[in-house]
Amino acid sequence: MQPDEPLLYSAGEKDVILLPTAEHCNNETALRQIPHVDKLMKNKIITDSGIYRHEAADAVRETLAELRDKLKKGETDKVPGEDVLAQKAVSLAQKHERKNIIRVINATGVILHSTLGRACLPAAAAKAAQEAAGAYCTLEYDLETGARGSRTGCIEERLQAVTGCEASLIVNNNAAAVLLILSGLARGGNVIVSRGELVEIGGGFRIPEIITQCGCQLREVGTTNKTRLADYAGAIDADTRALLKIHTSNYKLIGFTESVTVKELSGLAKSKGLTLIEDIGSGALTDLMRYGINDEPLAATSLEDGADIVSFSGDKLLGGPQCGVILGREKLIKALKTHPLYRALRADKMTIAAMEATLRIYADQPLAEREIPVLSMLSLTADELRSRAEKLRDKISQCGGSAEVVQAKSAAGSGSVPGLELDSYAIAPVSEKSASRIERELRELPVPIIGHIEKDRLLLDVRTIFESDYDYIADSLARITP
Ligand SMILES: *Cc1c(COP(=O)(O)O)cnc(C)c1O
């Protein structure tokens, strides 16, 4: 549009001719003052921002387009200075960056928070993964012989040391483990499962559907709450390949219930020449009784009790990287390793490096409790948590904010130990602002702090917060709730 052209508006029957007003003239002048993209890209604020040039350029274009739009609509008549525009573009680019995966502070008290990435790796494991990721590594290379070696040999040795297994294998996750086990060991036959264990693990991973998917027929036995050994025995026929036991993980049956132990099933499986498979879900490698967790099956116990094949996740109670661990009889593991599906489901080098480093720590129990975040978070006592909460509260007041220490309940999460509530302590900000407003503002921080609202109060449970984040939290909270 030319600034000296009259503006023509259609207004019903008659056309109305508007002469250019002073305001329009101003905006036309302003529009011409908008700096060029290339010029703004040379601004120091942008060149120093560390943002990729192509992303900065997109943000600059977006910023300038928005300004042009506002000038045209008459919502503004000023063109801000270049530094202001550059700063705007940088903020916009940073806002876009938040759509990527970024670090957050988990103040929910849920240790294995699937939405927030489940287990945090021990520092040594994170370092091992980073090294394997950014450089060449001995993934399948044997330094002794200079020839090709085993991809997961290091892990297999460590798993054997910790669980006493004959052989092992790791795949992408436990869902993949179940898929490989059933496809490799029971395809074409039927698999017997208790009705009480036909669960959906989450994300649509339903045991009955998986069994069909693997080319097996599901043979359900017993009832939802009670299944007996005779139910399994009565269902076995010539096509039966395996007995499958599944840890119900994300739910708990209470009241009049009866289920068959691995030990009992083992006798039956042996006498009939069937494979006994157990999916223990969370996969605790050490006894968690001292943390008040007593119904999570241990991998070693399952094997001792006679399971031929056991599978579990690497990033639940084990506290390692996402992977699925399969332990069991050498002959069966060998069959799985040579199955074509294994090639599609195998773990990558970063996972293998991180898993090896995590398992190495397990050889020393006190070290494991100190170094593996999942275990150290589980092991914190209520007294320790209260003094941590008080420390955080004091830091908040030193920064000029205000918060209270309150009792809270934290959980293991990720379907591990359902119903388990761990006594914990939390920080509740004291402020005029509503809990939902504080919750949002904490979420908008450069390193977002994720809490949860309970009875109109925002709680930040200290069990899942690293102490190294206290200063940042105190400073941020003081600024949000002065
Ligand atoms: C969590 C779980 C799975 C799925 O494990 P992922 O590692 O998340 O794939 C399978 N079975 C049971 C019993 C589980 O608890």
Side-chain angles (χ1 to χ4, degrees):
M1 186 190 355
Q2 295 301 311
D4 47 359
E5 243 177 24
L7 296 167
L8 198 64
Y9 288 111
S10 174
E13 308 215 307
K14 263 204 299 183
D15 282 341
V16 182
I17 294 172
L18 292 176
L19 288 172
T21 62
E23 196 186 342
H24 280 111
C25 280
N26 276 346
N27 278 0
E28 286 304 327
T29 320
L31 278 165
R32 279 196 295 265
Q33 285 168 357
I34 295 179
H36 199 264
V37 175
D38 293 342
K39 178 129 188 277
L40 211 51
M41 283 298 288
K42 291 193 185 99
N43 185 289
K44 206 168 148 46
I45 294 170
I46 288 184
T47 53
D48 287 356
S49 68
I51 294 166
Y52 285 131
R53 281 195 70 76
H54 65 279
E55 291 178 358
D58 286 345
V60 164
R61 271 184 222 107
E62 206 178 322
T63 306
L64 297 182
E66 193 190 320
L67 174 62
R68 203 168 291 124
D69 199 45
K70 277 191 175 161
L71 285 167
K72 280 185 180 161
K73 285 185 181 148
E75 288 168 17
T76 181
D77 55 5
K78 284 188 190 67
V79 174
E82 283 185 17
D83 283 358
V84 175
L85 289 171
Q87 189 52 57
K88 256 193 157 160
V90 166
S91 304
L92 191 64
Q94 282 165 345
K95 202 169 144 199
H96 291 329
E97 262 177 14
R98 289 168 63 85
K99 288 181 192 144
N100 305 335
I101 292 184
I102 60 169
R103 182 172 103 82
V104 300
I105 293 169
N106 175 11
T108 62
V110 179
I111 299 172
L112 298 167
H113 204 303
S114 285
T115 315
L116 304 181
R118 281 203 194 154
C120 294
L121 291 182
K127 183 163 170 270
Q130 192 183 11
E131 271 176 13
Y136 294 108
C137 61
T138 54
L139 182 63
E140 292 184 9
Y141 185 73
D142 186 338
L143 284 173
E144 292 279 319
T145 61
R148 190 163 176 175
S150 155
R151 189 180 168 88
T152 51
C154 53
I155 291 185
E156 288 164 37
E157 269 174 44
R158 298 203 188 279
L159 279 171
Q160 189 169 34
V162 181
T163 67
C165 65
E166 270 181 40
S168 64
L169 186 65
I170 76 162
V171 287
N172 186 46
N173 52 23
N174 192 23
V178 175
L179 199 68
L180 179 61
I181 293 166
L182 293 173
S183 305
L185 306 178
R187 188 172 203 92
N190 68 51
V191 175
I192 303 178
V193 191
S194 159
R195 285 204 166 86
E197 296 172 6
L198 290 171
V199 291
E200 174 176 309
I201 304 300
F205 187 79
R206 296 177 153 187
I207 295 297
E209 288 164 17
I210 293 299
I211 291 174
T212 314
Q213 178 74 37
C214 294
C216 311
Q217 236 185 357
L218 167 66
R219 182 111 342 141
E220 303 174 30
V221 294
T223 59
T224 304
N225 61 333
K226 290 193 181 197
T227 304
R228 301 186 183 93
L229 189 61
D231 296 323
Y232 286 91
I236 296 172
D237 63 22
D239 288 332
T240 306
R241 297 278 185 282
L243 307 182
L244 173 62
K245 191 162 171 62
I246 297 142
H247 186 55
T248 50
S249 292
N250 54 6
Y251 91 109
K252 201 178 175 124
L253 271 181
I254 48 171
F256 293 100
T257 67
E258 210 173 315
S259 63
V260 187
T261 63
V262 172
K263 229 178 204 158
E264 294 169 293
L265 285 177
S266 156
L268 179 62
K270 272 204 186 79
S271 69
K272 302 281 182 182
L274 301 172
T275 305
L276 174 58
I277 303 165
E278 185 175 29
D279 170 7
I280 58 172
S282 287
L285 282 191
T286 62
D287 201 344
L288 303 176
M289 285 275 257
R290 62 188 172 288
Y291 312 137
I293 297 174
N294 49 24
D295 51 3
E296 277 297 313
L298 273 173
T301 312
S302 174
L303 291 171
E304 250 167 58
D305 287 351
D308 298 303
I309 286 283
V310 178
S311 80
F312 52 91
S313 299
D315 57 348
K316 290 187 183 169
L317 290 173
L318 191 149
Q322 179 196 305
C323 64
V325 180
I326 307 174
L327 309 176
R329 307 235 176 269
E330 188 143 28
K331 199 178 93 202
L332 301 176
I333 296 287
K334 208 166 176 185
L336 297 181
K337 254 189 194 167
T338 49
H339 193 280
L341 253 188
Y342 171 60
R343 181 61 182 77
L345 304 175
R346 72 181 189 186
D348 71 284
K349 60 178 180 176
M350 291 173 277
T351 304
I352 292 170
M355 190 62 174
E356 197 258 343
T358 308
L359 291 171
R360 205 166 150 194
I361 300 172
Y362 265 101
D364 178 344
Q365 185 60 44
L367 181 72
E369 208 169 273
R370 271 200 316 275
E371 296 290 321
I372 298 175
V374 171
L375 296 187
S376 47
M377 286 172 185
L378 274 174
S379 69
L380 287 167
T381 63
D383 281 345
E384 286 167 325
L385 289 159
R386 190 180 49 219
S387 65
R388 281 186 182 213
E390 285 164 358
K391 185 173 149 195
L392 179 54
R393 177 202 56 199
D394 294 347
K395 274 182 185 283
I396 294 167
S397 5
Q398 278 158 25
C399 291
S402 171
E404 287 176 342
V405 170
V406 295
Q407 283 189 317
K409 293 281 183 195
S410 31
S414 264
S416 304
V417 232
L420 176 78
E421 287 195 327
L422 301 160
D423 286 327
S424 187
Y425 282 87
I427 282 294
V430 178
S431 165
E432 303 274 277
K433 287 186 186 174
S434 70
S436 60
R437 170 126 183 241
I438 303 170
E439 186 273 334
R440 197 193 65 230
E441 289 184 21
L442 288 175
R443 193 157 29 90
E444 286 168 351
L445 287 168
V447 179
I449 301 169
I450 315 294
H452 77 284
I453 295 173
E454 214 175 277
K455 294 191 192 123
D456 291 328
R457 272 217 297 198
L458 178 72
L459 301 186
L460 305 178
D461 190 321
V462 292
R463 187 185 288 274
T464 48
I465 302 176
F466 292 107
E467 281 186 291
S468 51
D469 286 327
Y470 282 10
D471 286 333
Y472 174 81
I473 295 172
D475 184 53
S476 307
L477 255 186
R479 263 187 286 153
I480 287 173
T481 60

